[in-house]
Amino acid sequence: GAVVSQHPSRVICKSGTSVKIECRSLDFQATTMFWYRQFPKKSLMLMATSNEGSKATYEQGVEKDKFLINHASLTLSTLTVTSAHPEDSSFYICSAFLAGKETQYFGPGTRLLVL
Amino acid sequence: GNSVTQMEGPVTLSEEAFLTINCTYTATGYPSLFWYVQYPGEGLQLLLKATKADDKGSNKGFEATYRKETTSFHLEKGSVQVSDSAVYFCALFDNTNAGKSTFGDGTTLTVKP
């Protein structure tokens, strides 16, 4: 149980285009999902907290107009990187919070490469 | 604020050696504590957890005990395998902090045959 999927697993795009990443909790409902960014050989950097039915809460220094987050249902949150640039290339990981177990379950990550 | 400090890596061991990865934390409330493992190119997998003082989490031969008096949650395994090579993250969840988790910087473990 407690499986989280991400799609796509890998994406290559041209500079200036937008990329949407989906995060789904497959076998549980998650009122809260988190989006992280991970640089090579580094820890996770929390970008934003996504709550179903409300606006996401962004961490300091994260541009909300650049990284659009939508949490339209209890099993789906999306992160859209708008007007992507090479410096946005990174590994993006989502997690879904399972209340009751008070545990975050992570997706497999999406590797974004902007050319 | 909350923080997690992990033993710096990388750690390199021979197969069947004993493993300890130290983790200490500071928190204002009564957090739950976690160890996650990340294999190359993948997301994080929950390895084990403990929700209150003196609890021991265990999974796949790994163990960690929630020590409130020393604010520690050290990860141990009696006999490591090559397949245990990965990055290990210690984390805490404090439900007084909007449900956010705080992660350590990760410790890279390499096990050689």
Side-chain angles (χ1 to χ4, degrees):
Chain A
V3 178
V4 177
S5 70
Q6 270 183 253
H7 178 79
S9 59
R10 187 182 299 265
V11 56
I12 301 173
C13 69
K14 292 182 179 179
S15 187
T17 60
S18 294
V19 174
K20 180 186 283 188
I21 303 169
E22 293 186 349
C23 177
R24 293 181 185 273
S25 56
L26 298 184
D27 50 2
F28 66 100
Q29 294 182 331
T31 53
T32 304
M33 291 183 172
F34 300 91
W35 286 96
Y36 296 86
R37 184 172 178 178
Q38 187 179 33
F39 294 98
K41 301 187 186 300
K42 297 291 185 183
S43 188
L44 285 75
M45 182 190 81
L46 179 64
M47 299 175 66
T49 303
S50 168
N51 291 299
E52 187 265 340
S54 63
K55 290 184 179 180
T57 303
Y58 290 82
E59 295 300 299
Q60 193 170 12
V62 178
E63 298 175 59
K64 61 180 181 181
D65 295 330
K66 173 107 180 129
F67 299 100
L68 300 179
I69 290 172
N70 185 288
H71 193 156
S73 78
L74 288 172
T75 59
L76 173 64
S77 176
T78 60
L79 168 67
T80 302
V81 183
T82 62
S83 186
H85 288 92
E87 59 265 30
D88 298 325
S89 299
S90 193
F91 193 51
Y92 293 88
I93 307 176
C94 74
S95 72
F97 181 72
L98 179 53
K101 289 200 179 256
E102 309 307 293
T103 299
Q104 285 188 49
Y105 292 91
F106 286 82
T110 297
R111 188 160 301 283
L112 170 64
L113 177 60
V114 184
L115 301 177
Chain B
N2 297 336
S3 68
V4 174
T5 302
Q6 270 183 250
M7 171 175 152
E8 282 190 30
V11 174
T12 302
L13 296 173
S14 297
E15 207 165 21
E16 299 184 2
F18 184 86
L19 168 71
T20 300
I21 300 178
N22 290 341
C23 172
T24 57
Y25 68 91
T26 58
T28 51
Y30 298 92
S32 296
L33 302 173
F34 302 83
W35 278 100
Y36 287 90
V37 58
Q38 184 178 33
Y39 297 100
E42 299 183 11
L44 275 68
Q45 298 177 24
L46 177 65
L47 181 59
L48 54 84
K49 64 184 253 191
T51 58
K52 61 183 187 298
D54 299 325
D55 269 3
K56 178 188 283 189
S58 61
N59 185 26
K60 299 181 182 178
F62 291 90
E63 294 183 340
T65 301
Y66 190 144
R67 301 281 188 205
K68 193 167 185 294
E69 64 276 13
T70 54
T71 61
S72 65
F73 193 55
H74 304 322
L75 182 68
E76 297 182 337
K77 186 174 185 181
S79 175
V80 293
Q81 306 300 312
V82 172
S83 56
D84 294 327
S85 298
V87 181
Y88 292 82
F89 291 93
C90 184
L92 72 82
F93 168 75
D94 177 0
N95 62 11
T96 65
N97 189 24
K100 296 179 189 177
S101 292
T102 304
F103 288 84
D105 288 340
T107 302
T108 300
L109 170 67
T110 302
V111 180
K112 296 188 174 179

